[in-house]
Every structure is written in C-alpha cells, then in structure tokens.
Amino acid sequence: MSGRGAALRRTAGFAVLHVVAMLAGRLELAGGEVFGLVWPAAGVGALWLLVQRHERSRWLDALTMVTIFLVVNLLTGAALPSAVFFTAVNLAQILVFLKVIISVCPDLRTSRPWGGFERVRHLWGLLAAAAAGAAIGALVVPTVLGVLTGRWSVPGAVAWWARNVVSMTAIPALGLCLGRLLDRRTRARWRAAPWRAVREAADRAGGRRIAECCALSVASAAAYLVTFGVSHDLPLAFLLIAVTVWAAVRFSTALVALHSLVTGTVAIVFTVYGSGPFTTAASLVARVLVAQVFVGVITVVGLALALGRDERDELERQRVAAEKEVIAQAGMLSAIVESMHDGLAVVDEAGRFVMSNPAARWLLGAAGPLTVADAYDLLHPDGTPVGRRQLPYMLALAGHEVRGMDVLLRLPGTAGNRMLNVSATRLPSDPPRAVVVFRDVTEERRHRDELAAFAGVVAHDLLNPLGTIDGWAEILADAVEAAPGGAAPDGAGDGVARIRQASARMRELIQDLLAHTAARDAPITPVPIDLGRAVREVAAARGDLPEAAARGRAPVFHIGELAAVRADRVLLRQLLDNLIGNAVKYTAPGERPEITVTSATERPGWVRVEIADRGIGIPPGQHEAIFQSFRRAHEGRSYSGSGLGLAICKRIVERHGGTIGVRDEPGGGSRFHFTLPAADVPDETAG
C-alpha cells in the first residue's frame, strides 16, 4: 500500500486495533487494577506511530490515539483527571520510544512503512527503545499514585515497567514482521487472484516445507496444551523454547513472528484464567508478570535467531553475487589482456614472469611461457647495454615512474633487432611485483629517425646559402649607407632590413631544428652538475644581451639554493637557456623581466626545478599544447620564435627520465617546472 489513501486506511485499521487493545487492558480479569496487568495498548500504539512515522497524517494518528485513550478510559469507569493523566503518560512513553529507536537505528528514517526491521540490531534497538519508553511510565505513574494514596509500591513500578517493555518490544516486532508479509500478500492479490497467489506460494515452499510447517504447528499445539492445560505441577515451560528455536531456524521471519504471536497469546490467556505453570506464583500480579516476561523472551529469542539467519543468508547472497561478479570481471579482464596487441607481463622482484599475454610472448620471441626477464639482451637506443638496475621492471620496483622508455631487444637467432617502447608500474602487492606494458616501435622509430636525419641534413645544408644571403645583405646594407644623399632608391634601406630580419628568423628556425634533432637522438652522458652555477651562467649570458641593455630593461634574477643534479651538461645548458630565454622574451612591452629559480626534492632521488616569471603568461587551454613541436602560445604577436623551444625542453627532460609542465603564476606570469635525477643517484633512468 502506498499513497495518502493507504496511510488513512492504516490509520483506521490501527484505530480499531488500538480500541480492542485498550478494552482488553481495561478488563477486570486481572484483578481490577487501575491499570491492567496486561497492557497491549502500549505496544499497539508504539507500532502505530512507528509505521506512520513518514506520513503527513501522523499528527492525525497521534490525535486519534489520544482520543481513543481518553474515550476508552472514561467508558470503562476512569475519572476524567485519571483518564487525562494516563493518556499523557502513555503518549509520552510512546514518543520516547520513537525518539530512541530512530536514534539507535537511523536507517529506519528512510525505510518503507513496514520495512527496515531486517537486522538483529533493529531488534536490540527496539528493546532499548521499549525499556526507555517504559521507564517514563514506571517512574511517573507509581510516584503519582503514591502521592495520592500515600503508598508507593516498588512491585507496582516494576510491574508497570515490565509489562510495557514486553508490550512495546513484542507487539511492534511482531507487527512489523507480519505487516511486511501482509504488505507483500496485498500486492500479490492485486496482481493475481487470491487462490492463485496461495497456490504460487505453496509451489514455492514445496511439499517438504509445507509438511514441516504442519508438523511444527502440531508440535507447538501439543507442547503448549501439555504445559498449560494438562500438567501444572511439572516445570515444563523451558521445553517450549525448543519449538520457538525450531521455527526460527527453519522458517521465514514472518512465520516466526506469527508463531510467537499465537503461542504468546495462548500462554497469556491460560495464565490469566488460572491455568499453566505460572499459576504457582503467590499473587496474580506475579503470575501475569512472569507470563508476559515469558512471552517477551520467546519472542526475542525467536526473532533474534530468525533475523540473524536472514542476515547470514543476505551476506551469503551478497558474497555469491560478488564472487560471480569478480569471476565475470576476471574473465573479461583476461579476455582483454589476451586480445591486446601490446605485450603485458607481471614480473616479481626476482625477475620471474608471473603472467604474460600472447603478445608479450610474441614480441619477446618466446615459443612457450616466459620464464626470467633478465634472460633477454636489452640495449639502450644508442647501443649501450641495459644493466639489471636499469631494467624497466627494476626501476618500477625501486619507485621510479617508467613511461615510454625505448629499449632495443636483440633477438637470438635472427639478424634484426626489435625496438620496444616500455612502461612499467609497481603493483600494490606483497611480494612486490611490477606490471610491464610494451609495444613494437621498430618501424615507427625507423621512420622517425629517417625523418630526423633528413631534417638535420636539410637544416645543415640550408645554412650554407643562408650564409651567402647574409653576406650579400650586409654588402648591400653598406652600399645603401655609403650612397650619396638621394642616390639610393626609395625604400632600399627598409628592404635590406627586412631581408636581414627574414634571414635571422630563418637561421633561428634552422638552429632549432638542429637542436631538436640533437635533443632527441644524440647520445647523452649524465654527470653530477652544480645546478646553481649552471643557472647563474645562463642568467649572466641573458643579462648581457645587447638588446636588453639597449632598452634599459635588463632582467632581474632571484636564484635560490639549487640542488645538484645528474644530467648531460650540454643538454641541461640548452634546457635552461630555452626556459630562461622564454621568461625574458615573453614580457610585456616596457616591463622589466623578473625571473625566480628555485628547487626542492620532489621524491627520493629526484629534484624539482621551478622557473617563475612575471611575463604575459599562457592563454587558457595552451598549457599542454605548447610542448608540442611548432606550437606557439602567442601566434601573430611581436614575439619571434620557431615553436620548437619547449618541444626541445620536453625531450631533454624526458630523456633524463623526468617530467615537465607549467602552471599560471598568481598575480600574472608563468611557472615552469621540471624534474631531473639528483646528483647522488646512479644513472638508471636516462636513455
């Protein structure tokens, strides 16, 4: 049931049930007490407001409950002050019950009206809430009655507390379980005819389960009849726990609740009418109190076992589902790995292949399973052997980041070699392992090398005619300057200046092409270098440039304490010259360049260098693109350049095993950063 109409129907149903519970509690069967020894109304009221806790009409429910309390008390002979007092006490203990159970079991806030009562902790929360709510009545009612009558009864207080604890524990627990069952049955009746729903339920249960249910019913009836109706002298009540345990371990929670409701009602009725093992107590109060405690115990024991079993079954279902999902994912991952064209292998710290895919075995020229990674003859692209500490998987296990490392594989029994591009990452496993991914880039590198060689040859050959152009342009400029006034053609001087500017741009482009080729392909020799000294040399050279001095804006440098690094001396000088040169060049007109160079340890064995400026900055979206070849961030502006400088820097840093990037500087400008091996680290990453 859902919607406002369903909520109002529940309100009407609970109102009728509450009237019946009130009348039952006001009967004189239990000795004519002012408050009945059996008080199911407390439990019904708690269940009522608990189920209706989410509805907008819950205030109508509370008002209806208060009205029923007052009317039934007045109709059964209570005075108006007494009726108002007991109504207020009952409502207060129910509200405390709701507050405590929502606090102890916060997931009930969002559950459905009949849902949420599915865990053992919900049962303990229900018991705690019932104890707290009943404590209100147990403190208030006997105290007030003691003031009015002059007698304060400890047994009366205990009886009040015990009966309400049992009532507000057993009835809400049973009601939530049975209500959930009825809720499902109601939906089933809407979907199909009642007889068809019953038949389907019987088919799902199976013949054996139906027979066992019938056996449980017969055994329970016989046990309770013997214990309460036949034998009064023998203490056989403890044997009744057996049928409760049977029901709890073999049947659904709803059926356990129904079983506890029926057997508990039988025990109360027999005791009230003077039959059963509990009648041996001296007073009626003690008899009924013991009977109610018995009902509470079998209810709690039965539901605790049933809910615990449900939790275990749910966990088992989740485990099985998770296991199936893991198996499915493992199968899909295995299929993906097996179908990859790139080689993939997992290597342990001893160099043994833990697993590999077919592409890995083919790329390494293995006819069968791979065994030991150290057995392969690997070389750097320049032909020098790769030592064991330089192997990609060893670098990864040592904590280095290996991305796009080129190694040359010498295949035994073949004339050619295979160039592999390798990446390796340490896995978070114990013992340590590394996953290595590699692909064949032999043809790609061959084409690249041919193109680079062609570019280098062309660039070198272009310098010769460019020198001739420069020489004749200089002669022409001298002739224009030496010509008598007016003898030189109009615009000749400007034309000569344009020729010389174009020649200078062409020379810069050719030199950058040659530098780019050298940065990518020339062998490197990493040695310990004083980074501070290298930076100061480049800064001094940039500060002494004639154009900077002529414009009166010589750059200002702030050079911090820089750590020593291990790098190729020539390539490091080129890297620093390009980055510092850009910081000086890309400054707004009229502004004085200001460059700050600092360093810090990024991770063990690596130094992070930062070069910050106060220049014009980099347009949004260009922070990665500027490191590509022939890409300039400020196209069309009055800043010369070939677009290769940062590509050269990127290649130099990557050949040393580091990374390079840039971010905006707060307040304007840019901050370039790159990493290089520390001076005290052996050469393991360069290549």
Side-chain angles (χ1 to χ4, degrees), residues 345-612:
V346 177
V347 187
D348 63 16
E349 57 186 349
R352 295 185 298 266
F353 284 97
V354 178
M355 64 87 64
S356 61
N357 66 347
R361 295 189 287 273
W362 181 82
L363 289 172
L364 296 178
L370 301 178
T371 55
V372 182
D374 299 353
Y376 296 92
D377 191 4
L378 299 179
L379 308 173
H380 287 297
D382 59 5
T384 59
V386 178
R388 188 175 190 276
R389 297 180 62 187
Q390 301 172 355
L391 291 172
Y393 82 90
M394 289 296 293
L395 295 176
L397 291 175
H400 298 291
E401 183 178 5
V402 181
R403 291 288 183 271
M405 177 180 177
D406 284 352
V407 295
L408 191 63
L409 172 66
R410 184 177 296 167
L411 295 174
T414 61
N417 299 325
R418 181 171 288 160
M419 181 71 73
L420 301 178
N421 184 260
V422 186
S423 298
T425 304
R426 180 184 175 124
L427 294 175
S429 61
D430 188 19
R433 293 173 178 175
V435 58
V436 183
V437 180
F438 49 96
R439 60 189 181 93
D440 188 355
V441 293
T442 306
E443 292 299 322
E444 180 183 332
R445 295 296 185 264
R446 182 179 294 117
H447 293 319
R448 188 194 69 180
D449 294 345
E450 291 174 355
L451 180 61
F454 174 76
V457 170
V458 170
H460 185 270
D461 290 347
L462 287 176
L463 287 176
N464 291 328
L466 191 60
T468 302
I469 294 174
D470 287 341
W472 283 106
E474 185 177 353
I475 293 173
L476 183 59
D478 293 342
V480 171
E481 291 178 1
D490 293 339
D494 183 61
V496 172
R498 290 176 181 273
I499 292 173
R500 300 182 73 174
Q501 289 175 359
S503 176
R505 288 197 298 271
M506 185 65 179
R507 184 178 296 278
E508 181 182 8
L509 177 59
I510 294 173
Q511 289 174 346
D512 283 346
L513 284 172
L514 290 173
H516 187 262
T517 302
R520 182 176 58 196
D521 301 315
I524 65 174
T525 306
V527 295
I529 296 176
D530 184 349
L531 183 60
R533 180 177 179 180
V535 169
R536 284 189 289 271
E537 289 177 355
V538 173
R542 284 290 173 177
D544 292 340
L545 290 178
E547 56 267 25
R551 296 176 184 177
R553 59 182 188 93
V556 177
F557 289 94
H558 305 284
I559 302 174
E561 292 292 332
L562 304 181
V565 297
R566 174 176 289 274
D568 184 272
R569 192 176 300 278
V570 175
L571 293 182
L572 178 62
R573 173 63 182 257
Q574 188 174 11
L575 169 66
L576 296 173
D577 190 65
N578 283 356
L579 293 176
I580 294 176
N582 282 350
V584 173
K585 180 197 303 184
Y586 292 102
T587 304
E591 296 292 332
R592 189 172 187 177
E594 184 176 351
I595 298 96
T596 302
V597 185
T598 58
S599 74
T601 300
E602 184 184 56
R603 62 181 188 272
W606 289 87
V607 175
R608 178 186 176 96
V609 184
E610 296 189 350
I611 300 176

Side-chain angles (χ1 to χ4, degrees), residues 28 37 65 86 118 125 266 400 474 530 570 576 579-580 593 614 673:
E28 297 296 324
L37 295 177
M65 181 186 299
F86 284 113
E118 300 170 346
V266 169
H400 298 291
E474 185 177 353
D530 184 349
V570 175
L576 296 173
L579 293 176
I580 294 176
R614 293 291 181 182
H673 57 86

Side-chain angles (χ1 to χ4, degrees), residues 206-287:
R208 291 186 177 181
R209 183 52 58 90
I210 294 175
E212 185 178 4
C213 184
C214 294
L216 173 66
S217 301
V218 172
S220 299
Y224 275 81
L225 180 61
V226 170
T227 302
F228 285 91
V230 177
S231 177
H232 297 173
D233 300 328
L234 295 177
L236 301 177
F238 70 94
L239 295 177
L240 303 178
I241 296 292
V243 293
T244 299
V245 173
W246 181 7
V249 299
R250 294 292 297 164
F251 296 96
S252 67
T253 305
L255 188 59
V256 173
L258 181 61
H259 181 270
S260 299
L261 176 63
V262 173
T263 55
T265 303
V266 169
I268 293 291
V269 171
F270 270 102
T271 302
V272 167
Y273 282 95
S275 180
F278 306 134
T279 57
T280 57
S283 66
L284 183 59
V285 173
R287 297 173 194 170

Side-chain angles (χ1 to χ4, degrees), residues 70 79-90 140-145 160:
L70 286 172
L80 180 60
S82 177
V84 172
F85 171 70
F86 284 113
T87 298
V89 171
N90 278 278
V140 174
V141 174
T143 301
V144 173
L145 292 179
W160 176 282

Side-chain angles (χ1 to χ4, degrees), residues 594 612-618 663-671:
E594 184 176 351
D613 62 62
R614 293 291 181 182
I616 60 176
I618 299 171
R663 67 175 187 270
D664 294 331
E665 182 74 357
S670 304
R671 179 177 290 270

